[in-house]
Amino acid sequence: MALDNKILDEINELKRKYEDERSCLLPALYLFQREYGWLSPEALERVAEILNIPKATVKGVSTFYAMFSHKPMGRHLIQLCTNVACMIMGGERLLDILKGRYGLEPNLTTPDRRFSLVIMECIGACDTAPAMLVDTDLHGNLTEENIIGILERYE
Amino acid sequence: MNSRESVLLKNADRPGPAGIDEYGEWGGYRSLHKALSMEPGQVLDEVKKSGLRGRGGAGFPTGMKWSFAVADPQTQKYLLCNADEGEPGTFKDRIIIEKNPHLLIEGMVISAYAVGAASGYIYLRGEYPKAKDILLRAIKEAYEKNYLGDSILGKGVVFHLHIHCGAGAYICGEETALIESLEGKRGQPRIKPPFPVNEGFSSKPTVVNNVETLANIPYILEIGGDEYAKIGSPECPGLKLFSVSGHVKRPGVYELPMGVTLREIIYTHCGGIRGDRKLKGVIPGGVSTPVLLPDTIDCPMDFFHLGKVGSMLGSGAVIVFDETVDMVKVCLRITKFFEHESCGKCTPCREGVSWLRAVLERMSNGSGRGGDKDLLTEVSNNIAGKTFCPLGENAAAAVQSFVNNFGDEFKEKIKSG
């Protein structure tokens, strides 16, 4: 596939960064996730082949890290923090708002595949708690009133 | 002391990151010129004299760590920057990277020169996508200006720098887990010894330093180790970034001398408690550090003094709780965090923290059982000291601090159950 060739080129580029190819594993998983939105069993197999690492090892590593998805995700990923600083500033109440407006619950995707929701363990935005990442955009000082307005910008 | 010009947060209130030209106008990379005119051993001596201790949480003397790596006979060495800022409540390294990326890069080049490392990696947490783009651009600029590469400033000094992104695992902030992750493995801590300074990345001597630690290096070179050692607490001197969150009027990152008191941070710098409510408790260094009661807030914030009141400086992440907060709920949330982040390698941590969470959950629901308070203590005691890394131990100590300091609230949860 053309797409895979592009990833192959990027992985070959990556190999120059490291003495041992095994170090390319996390970056390679990121590349496949970037292209396909998630890491399918086939994607994990491709990574194993390309880097010559046992399939089981690739799966073992991939599933260790919270930011790798092993099921299809929505077009936009909402990463909402509910750790201590966000919790005491009202972060948990935002979950009710998301459920009410989009029927969205943690680790699920809306039926129209617009949003997926993941609960985060501190995204380092505690001074603007409660906060969330939508894809790669950071949004802080969230309230029950403003969160929907922010999310409506993501089609 | 408060009028001191910012060093780590220089011009950080401006929008966007400082580019290499701007950084140069403020005197940036002057310390690198100075360092490269010295012998590596002289640079190391300045850092030793400065009394700088690691800002990631453990507070290990930086100069001593470097000297162990220097003493190792293997010639190929690595410098790793720990930018896996995952300790809940901490957001200081993000500010350095997003506002002053060249301060970190300059600190790394000087450090690499002192320890004899020809290549290095910044292990950046996956949750900071914006920081990654900023760093990539800054590294490119530094290569173009010959501050990185095969002959830095034309002096034959070699240092290559790359970014490696984590993918959402708190444990990778532990240095041996970070190295495992960089090697493409699950981020599970290694047994020590051997320490990374002798056997680290690719089994080579490896220095792992936090972002803030490295960002202090150019300033130490600029004013000299002896001058730097005069800042703040004599026991552990220097500048410290405090990430303040929770119920204060002005949350944010503050650059203050080591040894500033919690009272000054909360009431002077952050304007006091929101709504002028009463202070109920404060976590001084991220959720891994035991919670303190209001009667201890006159304690100086440094690695030395916080230990005397039963807590730790950790990453300097101050989380402030007003009188309305349900402390059992906070304790439960912290324990859920540790349960989620336990890497699963050591049974006492993997199983024990789940047990703690289960007991706290039923207490929080109002269905606690008689003896639950003692059960929390018993389980905690079976985690502490029985694991490879401090994660389980920190979870146990955090729970114990909540139970000890807010015992009545925990008792209440049993009575009402």
Side-chain angles (χ1 to χ4, degrees), chain B residues 313-334:
Chain B
L313 181 64
S315 62
V318 179
I319 309 175
V320 178
F321 304 107
D322 75 15
E323 58 191 323
T324 64
V325 175
D326 175 346
M327 295 308 245
V328 179
K329 201 176 161 196
V330 172
C331 184
L332 169 63
R333 185 64 188 85
I334 291 172

Side-chain angles (χ1 to χ4, degrees), chain A residues 14-38:
Chain A
L14 275 174
K15 287 178 184 171
R16 302 190 348 200
K17 271 171 66 174
Y18 305 99
E19 201 172 322
D20 187 339
E21 284 187 9
R22 175 72 190 264
S23 284
C24 298
L25 181 48
L26 264 68
L29 290 169
Y30 262 122
L31 289 175
F32 273 87
Q33 180 160 290
R34 184 196 69 197
E35 292 301 331
Y36 297 99
W38 66 297

Side-chain angles (χ1 to χ4, degrees), chain A residues 96-117:
Chain A
D96 299 333
I97 302 288
L98 294 180
K99 192 176 177 191
R101 179 66 173 78
Y102 302 109
L104 191 52
E105 290 188 69
N107 301 318
L108 293 181
T109 299
T110 53
D112 62 0
R113 308 216 74 80
R114 183 178 177 192
F115 292 120
S116 294
L117 173 64

